[in-house]
Amino acid sequence: MSGLTAPKGTFDTLPPDSARFLAVRDTLTAPLRRAGYGYVETPVFEETAVFSRGVGESTDVVTKEMYTFTDRGGRSLTLRPELTAGLMRAFIEHRLHGGALPVKLWTVGTAFRYERPQAGRYRHFTQVDMEALGVDDPALDAEVVALGVQGFRDLGLTDFELLLTSLGDATCRPQYRDLLVAFLDKLDLDEETRRRAAINPLRVLDDKRPEVQAQLDDAPLMVDHLSDSTKAHYDAVRQHLTDLGVPWTEAPKLVRGLDYYTKTTFEFVHHGLGAQSAIGGGGRYDGLSAALGGPDVSGIGYAVGVDRTLLAVQAEGLDVGVAAGVQAFVVPLGAEAKRLAVRLVGQLREAGIPADTVYGDRGLKGAMKAADRSGATHVVVVGERDLAEGVGQLKDMRTGEQRPVPVGELFETVRASVEE
């Protein structure tokens, strides 16, 4: 089975880079745990309708990018292209809306989209996703946005920006939609773009092609046509963000790549990533639950790309998640010494001390090379002569000092030495 490789557009995360990946993931989720959000695990595939109804049939995600297949029972299933719709399905199925509101949830996992691979864009990627469901409160919107910002700040990122707008709601979107449709009808657009505009004209504002953007300078903007209630909502969100010390940039043409957003909509971008600058984003989606057959309850959340954020960390040269390696390494010479090494390493690990030993039949020279590569600050060498004398040789790799330690005292002595 030679020649097998990872599928196109996918990748393997291997040590030592995997330590950085885990550090980024855990740092992004820490603010959510501190804020009382509960962890949820959902299937990596769902009924296709979860995404076609939830994400939106006008989106590229649904029309071009989903991995959809028919299972042996004849059911249409899809690998999740994003995490929110599946999480909302779980919220509805398990009637979480019947308890105290808001329901605050978070998850982390891999999603899949059939896209053209390029730097920062893959066919499988990992997202941290969070949702606050059941309450429409501008203060909750601000909390959600601020938690995303806090994760980036905790990583040490500084070259990121929060783009913010409001996409209105059912009280003002229909009138704005008519204005936008009338404007788009006058433009020179290809047939596919006009088809998308007929389903959701806001999608045209998100078109990245220069020939399309050049025609949108005078396009009507949703923020200029908000109803009194949605404008008051947006004003309150911005005031709460100011109170929280979270700066933002107004982005009136911001349209996220999914159809379910209403009111508060935002995106996190990093200026060191080139064309694929988005590292996360989200917004309010007050109609999503009803679209999936659930109660008509509000919701807001975001998704942050772990892979993209790791690229941002690397772009800023941040020393995040560099593996410290082991602290103690045991070098046994001989079968009896191997038994002692296995036991000592086990004791050290149980005490919370990173420890390792050499495996296979290696001589002293090869074993010491392994100890040096491990990064250990302390190495215990136990040979046959040492065992005959009832000692092991403890070496401080930082100073080069070496001393004999009675076998019965090795564990306590090594523990004390590495904790100094």
Side-chain angles (χ1 to χ4, degrees), residues 173-334:
R173 280 271 279 272
Q175 296 91 330
Y176 169 71
R177 186 184 191 280
D178 291 342
L179 287 174
L180 184 58
V181 167
F183 175 83
L184 295 177
D185 282 344
K186 302 174 184 177
L187 303 187
D188 180 20
L189 303 175
D190 59 82
E191 286 304 314
E192 182 179 356
T193 303
R194 290 199 177 280
R195 180 187 60 78
R196 294 173 65 196
I199 302 173
N200 182 358
L202 280 170
R203 301 292 309 135
V204 181
L205 299 180
D206 192 43
D207 198 309
K208 300 298 190 293
R209 290 174 295 177
E211 62 271 22
V212 175
Q213 281 297 317
Q215 302 180 65
L216 298 176
D217 289 341
D218 297 325
L221 302 175
M222 185 71 249
V223 290
D224 295 329
H225 297 85
L226 298 176
S227 65
D228 291 342
S229 62
T230 53
K231 184 178 186 304
H233 185 282
Y234 190 41
D235 288 343
V237 170
R238 290 181 288 188
Q239 183 60 61
H240 287 306
L241 288 175
T242 298
D243 295 340
L244 288 167
V246 176
W248 73 90
T249 299
E250 292 287 347
K253 289 185 180 178
L254 176 64
V255 180
R256 297 285 298 153
L258 311 174
D259 276 357
Y260 47 59
Y261 289 115
T262 60
K263 294 184 181 175
T264 306
T265 306
F266 57 94
E267 188 165 270
F268 303 111
V269 297
H270 192 276
H271 300 298
L273 298 186
Q276 301 301 324
S277 62
I279 54 178
R284 181 161 284 284
Y285 41 82
D286 292 345
L288 179 57
S289 177
L292 291 175
D296 188 11
V297 298
S298 60
I300 183 169
Y302 66 70
V304 170
V306 178
D307 316 286
R308 289 273 186 91
T309 304
L310 178 55
L311 291 176
V313 165
Q314 293 169 340
E316 293 197 29
L318 299 175
D319 198 18
V320 173
V322 177
V326 301
Q327 292 177 282
F329 197 95
V330 184
V331 174
L333 302 173

Side-chain angles (χ1 to χ4, degrees), residues 387-420:
L387 284 178
E389 298 175 1
V391 301
Q393 301 294 329
L394 176 60
K395 183 175 183 178
D396 188 327
M397 300 295 282
R398 299 165 298 183
T399 64
E401 178 187 355
Q402 181 172 310
R403 59 191 173 100
V405 176
V407 168
E409 300 175 13
L410 273 174
F411 167 66
E412 290 295 344
T413 302
V414 173
R415 180 167 69 172
S417 298
V418 300
E419 291 178 349
E420 288 179 352

Side-chain angles (χ1 to χ4, degrees), residues 72-142:
R72 294 182 180 181
R75 292 170 288 263
S76 178
L77 302 175
T78 296
L79 295 179
R80 61 187 181 199
E82 55 95 54
L83 277 64
T84 296
L87 197 149
M88 182 62 82
R89 187 270 311 151
F91 169 80
I92 296 167
E93 179 179 346
H94 300 286
R95 301 186 61 81
L96 299 184
H97 49 83
L101 300 176
V103 177
K104 295 182 174 184
L105 307 172
W106 72 275
T107 189
V108 60
T110 303
F112 307 85
R113 297 184 190 178
Y114 190 85
E115 298 188 284
R116 182 171 61 85
Q118 54 185 295
R121 174 170 286 180
Y122 312 104
R123 291 179 177 174
H124 88 120
F125 49 93
T126 301
Q127 290 185 334
V128 170
D129 185 277
M130 63 89 78
E131 321 292 344
L133 308 171
V135 173
D136 183 0
D137 185 337
L140 186 59
D141 294 32

Side-chain angles (χ1 to χ4, degrees), residues 3-86:
L4 294 179
T5 61
K8 182 179 180 180
T10 69
F11 57 93
D12 300 307
T13 303
L14 306 172
D17 291 337
S18 54
R20 299 180 179 89
F21 176 91
L22 291 174
V24 168
R25 183 196 67 184
D26 293 345
T27 302
L28 291 174
T29 60
L32 307 179
R33 299 193 296 270
R34 293 196 297 266
Y37 286 69
Y39 182 71
V40 175
E41 187 86 21
T42 60
V44 76
F45 59 88
E46 299 270 1
E47 292 185 34
T48 300
V50 169
F51 303 115
S52 60
R53 288 161 57 185
V55 174
E57 295 184 359
S58 72
T59 64
D60 284 347
V61 172
V62 171
T63 60
K64 300 178 181 179
E65 299 170 1
M66 295 203 311
Y67 283 91
T68 298
F69 60 96
T70 302
D71 73 1
R72 294 182 180 181
R75 292 170 288 263
S76 178
L77 302 175
T78 296
L79 295 179
R80 61 187 181 199
E82 55 95 54
L83 277 64
T84 296

